[in-house]
Amino acid sequence: MTNASRPNQNSLGDISLLYASVLLRATEAEGGDAERLKSQFHLNDPELAAPEGRISIPRFMRLGQAAIATTGNPALGLRMGALTRPIDAGIAGLAAETANTVHQSLATLVRYALLSSRNSRGEPSLAAEHRKACFYSISPYNQYNYFVVDSILAAWTQLIRHMTGRYDILERVRIEYPSIGLDEVFESWFRCPVEFGAKENSIRLKESVWLQAPSQAHQGMHEKLTAWCEQELQQIRKGWSVADRARYLMTPLLRGETPTIETLANRLGTTPWTLQRQLASEGTGFRELLDNTRRQLAQDYLQETNSSLSEIAWLLGFANPPAFHKAYRRWYGISPGEYRKHIKGSN
């Protein structure tokens, strides 16, 4: 069973160390001290080379912020994208490279994203009718996570450029966070208009590119590699209970609101009554699962991020910060502010 098959290992999520390797290559290419970063974050070469190696999302974001600090390049995510290879997306990247069309390549990357990345904020998606690949929202945005959006959108773009041999492939890029004053840098890199402060994070491809066959297209190899991906995906999900799957789908729904059992059941492709019965057979219920999910996420947000208490309250789906404070005191006997002070005092 891979690390990704344990959805509670880090409630905020984790990603493949292959992405950390790309980040370190970008740091070195920009004149930063990659070896010092490896030492600072306790990363060694065998660990970075392991296909199954994972790094928690908060740790990866801190690594990215440190890399930006040492290189002085706030657009380091673009550099990461430029240095991304199909193999850096694991076997899903190789499967994508052999697809019949770019559309199928992106669909492959999106379908098997869980093989290399599990984030509590959501999962990527494809809007085929608009020729778009969409990365989920990771708001609230700050200096620790801008580069994540940049690197993903740039990596998708670079992979398509690699597959097609074309550079002028996009019609538009949309980025959810506000402009950081580097609009021209981004438009020069993506070679198309870039909209900041948008309602989504996405790249929209030209129609001719969407339908183009990658240079390494091979039907038989694509089928073989996607079968391997499918087997890995099912192996991951095999280790999940109904409560695990419900928690995985519930977490992105928490932002700013409390999800209902009807919404969650619909996401799971079942009925509210059936879901409640399945959870009961595992010794839990919807309300208990919701409460425990919030409690675990609250601890990780307080320990692992610099998000404000009001931001954490929103991320956990509470109506307001006082409701979060009341729940946290019920869970742990102290306020979240007191707990954060305790953490800082002990470091």
Side-chain angles (χ1 to χ4, degrees):
M1 185 181 296
T2 65
N3 288 342
S5 64
R6 306 184 183 98
N8 295 325
Q9 188 174 29
N10 185 296
S11 62
L12 300 184
D14 51 47
I15 64 173
S16 169
L17 277 170
L18 292 171
Y19 292 110
S21 295
V22 175
L23 176 54
L24 291 168
R25 290 204 305 270
T27 300
E28 190 171 22
E30 288 291 304
D33 191 342
E35 291 300 320
R36 183 176 66 82
L37 288 180
K38 286 197 289 187
S39 175
Q40 180 182 345
F41 286 84
H42 308 291
L43 298 170
N44 55 59
D45 291 332
E47 183 182 23
L48 289 166
E52 301 299 331
R54 312 288 280 199
I55 181 172
S56 74
I57 293 293
R59 188 177 171 210
F60 179 68
M61 291 197 298
R62 289 194 293 270
L63 175 64
Q65 199 275 337
I68 289 171
T70 192
T71 61
N73 181 6
L76 189 63
L78 299 183
R79 186 65 155 166
M80 289 176 64
L83 293 174
T84 297
R85 309 160 300 176
I87 191 62
D88 293 318
I91 58 173
L94 299 179
E97 191 177 21
T98 58
N100 292 325
T101 64
V102 168
H103 171 199
Q104 190 179 42
S105 296
L106 286 171
T108 300
L109 289 173
V110 167
R111 174 164 178 75
Y112 300 114
L114 188 60
L115 300 187
S116 59
S117 175
R118 182 187 57 81
N119 196 321
S120 65
R121 305 292 182 89
E123 54 189 12
S125 61
L126 205 64
E129 67 276 18
H130 300 297
R131 304 189 303 279
K132 291 194 306 186
C134 304
F135 186 61
Y136 45 85
S137 171
I138 56 173
S139 61
Y141 290 97
N142 52 51
Q143 62 178 335
Y144 288 91
N145 61 12
Y146 288 145
F147 86 96
V148 176
V149 174
D150 303 344
S151 65
I152 295 298
L153 299 185
W156 285 345
T157 301
Q158 182 64 21
L159 290 174
I160 297 166
R161 287 171 173 171
H162 167 79
M163 293 177 197
T164 62
R166 297 172 58 176
Y167 283 82
D168 187 20
I169 62 171
L170 302 179
E171 286 186 352
R172 191 169 195 85
V173 172
R174 305 186 77 191
I175 293 176
E176 192 179 29
Y177 67 76
S179 170
I180 57 174
L182 297 173
D183 299 31
E184 291 185 2
V185 173
F186 277 72
E187 293 195 345
S188 175
W189 196 93
F190 285 107
R191 299 194 181 188
C192 71
V194 177
E195 176 190 354
F196 289 92
K199 294 182 179 180
E200 64 184 14
N201 299 305
S202 67
I203 58 171
R204 178 184 171 98
L205 277 67
K206 293 183 175 181
E207 185 173 6
S208 60
V209 176
W210 185 255
L211 299 174
Q212 184 173 339
S215 59
Q216 298 294 319
H218 190 287
Q219 180 67 28
M221 188 58 70
H222 180 69
E223 291 175 358
K224 188 178 183 69
L225 288 168
T226 52
W228 187 6
C229 289
E230 195 66 32
Q231 182 180 4
E232 290 285 311
L233 183 62
Q234 295 309 315
Q235 182 63 30
I236 288 172
R237 290 174 172 167
K238 183 179 178 181
W240 292 11
S241 64
V242 173
D244 288 334
R245 289 190 288 119
R247 186 182 297 107
Y248 175 73
L249 293 173
M250 175 191 293
T251 305
L253 298 174
L254 287 172
R255 291 176 296 192
E257 60 183 303
T258 300
T260 65
I261 190 171
E262 289 78 13
T263 300
L264 190 59
N266 184 58
R267 292 292 182 96
L268 286 165
T270 188
T271 65
W273 183 87
T274 300
L275 175 58
Q276 194 69 277
R277 177 175 56 80
Q278 290 172 331
L279 291 174
S281 70
E282 295 179 357
T284 187
F286 174 73
R287 290 296 173 189
E288 184 179 359
L289 181 66
L290 173 63
D291 197 55
N292 288 338
T293 299
R294 280 173 159 167
R295 181 172 61 184
Q296 186 175 13
L297 285 168
Q299 285 295 83
D300 283 346
Y301 279 127
L302 289 169
Q303 291 176 352
E304 303 285 356
T305 77
N306 286 333
S307 296
S308 68
L309 297 183
S310 61
E311 288 173 339
I312 294 174
W314 181 81
L315 286 166
L316 296 178
F318 286 102
N320 49 56
F324 167 48
H325 284 239
K326 182 179 179 180
Y328 195 90
R329 189 173 288 280
R330 171 171 59 83
W331 293 329
Y332 297 108
I334 62 173
S335 73
E338 291 170 334
Y339 179 69
R340 180 163 269 179
K341 288 180 181 178
H342 171 73
I343 295 172
K344 291 181 178 179
S346 61
N347 289 340

